[in-house]
Amino acid sequence: MEEIFDHTGHRPWPLPQRRWALAMRWYDLLFAHWPVPPEVLRPLIPAALNLDLYDGRAWIGIVPFCMRGVRLRYMPESLSFDFPELNVRTYVTSPHRSGVWFFSLDATNRLAVRAARLWYGLLYYDAEIQVHRHGQTVEYQSIRKGREASLQVRYLPVGSCFQAQGGSIDHWLTERYGLYADGRKGKIRFGDIHHPRWQLQKAEADFRINTMTDCLGFSLPDQKPVLHFAQRQHMVAWRIKLLNRS
């Protein structure tokens, strides 16, 4: 695990001095992003945070993938969890740092859903998710239990791997090293994450069903999203904390 810290110069700020708390690996990940007018997302974001914009536009991301080796720091690998997950996200800033804001996170592991809600305050939901891989093609289907939020998509990588250049839309959409979540009594919490630079590929995707933003009160633009694929990524996370605490 320690090799994940061999390269840290790509980070926008230094690593936390505390020990990391959670580790996991991501596989067969699709980044699908659509531009959205800022005024659509602004009411959905806490007032203490600002939308992070690229070329004056906010972006909504739908990110399906599979998680493996999910474990707490002192938990042996043999007791780790494997399950698929689906995120709906945008990007925000504060006077502190930029980061990801999750509108929802769907997963099949009931224990992980409840632990993440309690520990991180993230909006995890129980879902039925099926993932099948045929060669390089990933068939991904998710249905949130008890709610109208479904995704059915087929995607695959196209072309060779690359690392996004700083300042590019590819870099802005993918290289993120923190997340925000609602705290109690209107306070905001922040959590550091760390991973190597993404090894990206361009992607193709066929969205057959996509109602993941309907419950947020808007539909995605009728245009092709910006797509990226990543075969694997290792990641660690630190305990989330209130912004007014050290």
Side-chain angles (χ1 to χ4, degrees):
M1 174 56 68
E2 296 307 318
E3 64 271 13
I4 196 174
F5 300 110
D6 288 347
H7 301 283
T8 60
H10 61 288
R11 293 179 53 83
W13 55 81
L15 287 168
Q17 296 300 307
R18 300 167 290 133
R19 292 184 174 182
W20 59 267
L22 184 69
M24 65 189 71
R25 301 186 301 273
W26 299 326
Y27 290 87
D28 293 336
L29 181 144
L30 176 71
F31 287 110
H33 286 98
W34 288 261
V36 179
E39 58 269 22
V40 172
L41 298 185
R42 177 64 266 181
L44 305 177
I45 303 299
L49 298 174
N50 296 315
L51 282 169
D52 199 358
L53 307 180
Y54 189 90
D55 285 344
R57 297 185 293 182
W59 290 77
I60 192 88
I62 293 181
V63 185
F65 59 103
C66 293
M67 299 174 67
R68 299 178 190 170
V70 181
R71 64 180 180 88
L72 296 174
R73 181 181 179 89
Y74 297 108
M75 181 184 295
E77 182 79 18
S78 60
L79 297 179
S80 64
F81 298 102
D82 300 345
F83 54 90
E85 181 169 310
L86 171 62
N87 297 342
V88 180
R89 55 196 262 180
T90 193
Y91 306 104
V92 296
T93 63
S94 75
H96 302 264
R97 289 164 179 168
S98 63
V100 178
W101 179 264
F102 292 103
F103 292 114
S104 63
L105 307 94
D106 291 43
T108 57
N109 188 296
R110 291 175 58 83
L111 176 60
V113 166
R114 281 143 190 83
R117 274 183 170 264
L118 178 64
W119 191 41
Y120 264 86
L122 296 173
L123 291 178
Y124 265 88
Y125 296 98
D126 293 310
E128 296 180 0
I129 303 176
Q130 296 182 358
V131 185
H132 302 284
R133 184 164 183 168
H134 309 283
Q136 288 193 311
T137 300
V138 180
E139 297 267 4
Y140 196 104
Q141 178 174 297
S142 176
I143 302 174
R144 187 178 299 168
K145 294 182 178 179
R147 298 173 183 266
E148 292 295 327
S150 301
L151 179 73
Q152 185 177 354
V153 60
R154 173 188 294 174
Y155 59 91
L156 72 159
V158 178
S160 57
C161 291
F162 68 95
Q163 292 183 342
Q165 297 298 312
S168 68
I169 184 66
D170 305 315
H171 187 278
W172 189 89
L173 290 172
T174 60
E175 295 289 346
R176 299 285 173 165
Y177 294 88
L179 62 88
Y180 286 93
D182 262 327
R184 295 181 179 180
K185 299 181 181 180
K187 295 183 179 180
I188 300 297
R189 297 191 290 175
F190 179 83
D192 277 287
I193 64 174
H194 176 67
H195 54 74
R197 291 183 65 185
W198 285 97
Q199 301 296 320
L200 298 172
Q201 292 174 265
K202 296 298 184 181
E204 294 179 355
D206 177 17
F207 289 87
R208 300 173 182 179
I209 300 174
N210 187 0
T211 62
M212 296 305 298
T213 64
D214 288 8
C215 58
L216 299 174
F218 68 93
S219 298
L220 292 169
D222 186 18
Q223 66 183 79
K224 291 184 178 181
V226 177
L227 300 173
H228 299 92
F229 176 89
Q231 185 176 11
R232 67 174 63 89
Q233 181 65 285
H234 287 207
M235 171 266 206
V236 294
W238 282 259
R239 287 186 178 274
I240 200 165
K241 62 181 182 179
L242 291 174
L243 285 182
N244 60 350
R245 293 183 181 178
S246 59

